[in-house]
Amino acid sequence: QVQLVESGGGWVQAGGSLRLSCAASGRIISFYTITWSRQAPGKEREFVGRTSWNGDSTAYADSAKGRFTISRDNAKTTVYLQMNNLKPEDTAVYYCGAALAGTGKYNSWGQGTQVTVSS
């Protein structure tokens, strides 16, 4: 099972940018689809985006389209979530998850990193 650690969260003013990192260990990350999700206080966890095992295919939630970009560096075993034009409603704990390519089962998750966007 792959182990994941998120980093890069913090506080930013609306309109600012942050880049989150998801560092993987324990398995060859290039075998895995990586997803980003988030959970705001009092709300359910929601999908943000995902990248295929080789980075050729990405998908985003409507709330993230045009502002967020997922990229991966399999050599560095790291997946990134670049977030631009952040809004207060983006405030949440962000998690990355891994699913062995083709399975759709995200059974590895990181501990999360807090993102706070002030207006």
Side-chain angles (χ1 to χ4, degrees):
Q1 192 170 1
V2 64
Q3 289 79 48
L4 304 173
V5 177
E6 302 93 338
S7 63
W11 177 89
V12 65
Q13 287 188 323
S17 299
L18 283 174
R19 188 177 79 160
L20 306 184
S21 299
C22 173
S25 62
R27 290 291 185 271
I28 299 174
I29 193 176
S30 56
F31 292 166
Y32 288 82
T33 297
I34 303 295
T35 189
W36 285 95
S37 63
R38 66 187 183 186
Q39 187 165 21
K43 295 186 178 181
E44 294 186 353
R45 188 178 294 195
E46 64 175 3
F47 168 76
V48 174
R50 66 174 178 270
T51 175
S52 61
W53 67 274
N54 60 0
D56 285 353
S57 174
T58 54
Y60 299 93
D62 287 343
S63 60
K65 289 178 181 177
R67 300 187 300 126
F68 294 3
T69 303
I70 297 174
S71 61
R72 64 189 299 163
D73 185 338
N74 286 343
K76 295 183 178 179
T77 65
T78 302
V79 177
Y80 304 98
L81 176 64
Q82 177 68 44
M83 305 187 294
N84 298 327
N85 190 23
L86 284 161
K87 304 175 182 180
E89 51 263 43
D90 294 318
T91 295
V93 178
Y94 284 71
Y95 301 89
C96 60
L100 192 61
T103 67
K105 296 181 180 180
Y106 293 94
N107 51 19
S108 295
W109 291 92
Q111 82 291 346
T113 186
Q114 175 71 47
V115 171
T116 303
V117 184
S118 65
S119 58

